[in-house]
């Protein structure tokens, strides 16, 4: 008697590059996302091993496309600075973001304060900043966290004499400032604001 073996083709696992949802809730969020991504890309443009992206899927477990997160803005050190459709950690020598900035609002706060915060800690994201451009719920509107032994702790907030809120990012070597409610990146070495053009 001859046994027959049925060939069952293996379907490759798909990792979508988009979810069909809009990238921002409104003009303020969109403008901030574009500003932050652009100034960081310009700031790191001469560093071939620093990758800056915004609103891009990060897949962090091979074989599990549901293990995905899409930060507003993120920076990864130690990987090639090139265009990607999505970021798969296993294709990047298991490098995960070092810095994340979420443009947050009352509508996204449960994800930004809960699930995403937990995922970023799990991934070892060293700094997690949040900016609430409409002032819906964060006070102050700009806040930062740094990772210590798997847990996030607040980044010290400084208030400058003119009332500007300033937080230092050790990871980026920059200051994030809240000037009249608007997020700005500063280079402390030069004292200059980073420009997006």
């Amino acid at each position: 008697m001859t046994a027959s073996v049925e060939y069952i083709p293996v379907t490759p696992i798909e990792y979508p590059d988009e979810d069909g949802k809009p990238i921002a809730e409104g003009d303020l969020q969109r403008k901030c996302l574009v500003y932050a991504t652009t100034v960081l890309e310009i700031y790191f443009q001469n560093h071939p091993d620093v990758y800056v992206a915004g609103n891009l899927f990060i897949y962090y477990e091979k074989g599990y496309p549901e293990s995905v997160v899409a930060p507003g803005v993120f920076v990864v050190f130690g990987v090639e600075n090139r265009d990607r459709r999505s970021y798969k950690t296993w294709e990047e020598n298991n490098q995960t973001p070092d810095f994340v900035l979420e443009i947050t609002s009352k509508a996204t706060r449960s994800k930004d304060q809960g699930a995403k915060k937990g995922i970023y800690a799990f991934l070892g994201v060293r700094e997690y900043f949040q900016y609430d451009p409409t002032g819906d719920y964060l006070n102050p509107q700009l806040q930062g966290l740094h990772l210590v032994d798997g847990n996030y702790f607040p980044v010290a907030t400084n208030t400058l004499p003119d009332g500007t809120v300033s937080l230092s990012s050790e990871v980026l070597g920059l200051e994030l400032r809240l000037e009249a409610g608007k997020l700005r990146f500063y280079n402390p070495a030069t004292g200059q604001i980073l420009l997006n053009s």
Side-chain angles (χ1 to χ4, degrees):
M1 177 171 205
T2 305
S4 64
V5 176
E6 182 181 347
Y7 173 72
I8 301 173
V10 176
T11 305
I13 296 171
E14 291 188 28
Y15 300 92
D17 297 326
E18 57 186 69
D19 60 7
K21 296 178 182 175
I23 66 167
E25 295 176 21
D27 285 337
L28 286 175
Q29 288 84 357
R30 177 187 51 80
K31 287 177 182 179
C32 183
L33 181 68
V34 170
Y35 165 76
T37 305
T38 304
V39 298
L40 291 174
E41 285 177 336
I42 292 169
Y43 182 72
F44 289 112
Q45 68 186 344
N46 295 323
H47 298 266
D49 62 344
V50 179
Y51 177 60
V52 177
N55 198 44
L56 190 80
F57 282 162
I58 298 174
Y59 290 99
Y60 52 89
E61 289 187 28
K62 188 175 182 177
Y64 298 92
E66 63 279 359
S67 295
V68 62
V69 65
V73 179
F74 66 94
V75 179
V76 187
F77 292 92
V79 298
E80 184 182 358
N81 180 9
R82 62 176 173 80
D83 290 340
R84 295 163 172 83
R85 293 183 57 85
S86 63
Y87 186 95
K88 300 176 183 89
T89 59
W90 59 91
E91 292 178 357
E92 307 288 348
N93 202 25
N94 293 314
Q95 290 291 107
T96 58
D98 295 281
F99 172 90
V100 165
L101 169 67
E102 287 292 356
I103 314 305
T104 189
S105 70
K106 192 179 280 189
T108 64
R109 77 174 163 187
S110 63
K111 286 182 187 176
D112 296 337
Q113 297 286 335
K116 281 188 168 184
K117 183 178 172 185
I119 291 168
Y120 297 149
F122 169 74
L123 293 176
V125 175
R126 294 187 290 152
E127 288 181 341
Y128 175 34
F129 280 71
Q130 295 178 55
Y131 170 55
D132 177 7
T134 58
D136 282 345
Y137 79 99
L138 281 186
N139 187 15
Q141 290 171 257
L142 175 63
Q143 297 182 15
L145 300 168
H146 62 103
L147 194 66
V148 178
D149 296 328
N151 294 303
Y152 280 119
F153 294 91
V155 171
T157 301
N158 300 313
T159 303
L160 305 179
D162 65 357
T164 298
V165 173
S166 175
L167 290 88
S168 292
S169 167
E170 292 179 16
V171 169
L172 300 179
L174 298 171
E175 289 179 14
L176 285 76
R177 292 186 183 176
L178 187 61
E179 294 183 343
K182 292 188 178 184
L183 173 68
R184 294 291 176 250
F185 286 83
Y186 273 80
N187 183 341
T190 65
Q192 299 293 315
I193 188 173
L194 299 189
L195 300 175
N196 57 355
S197 59

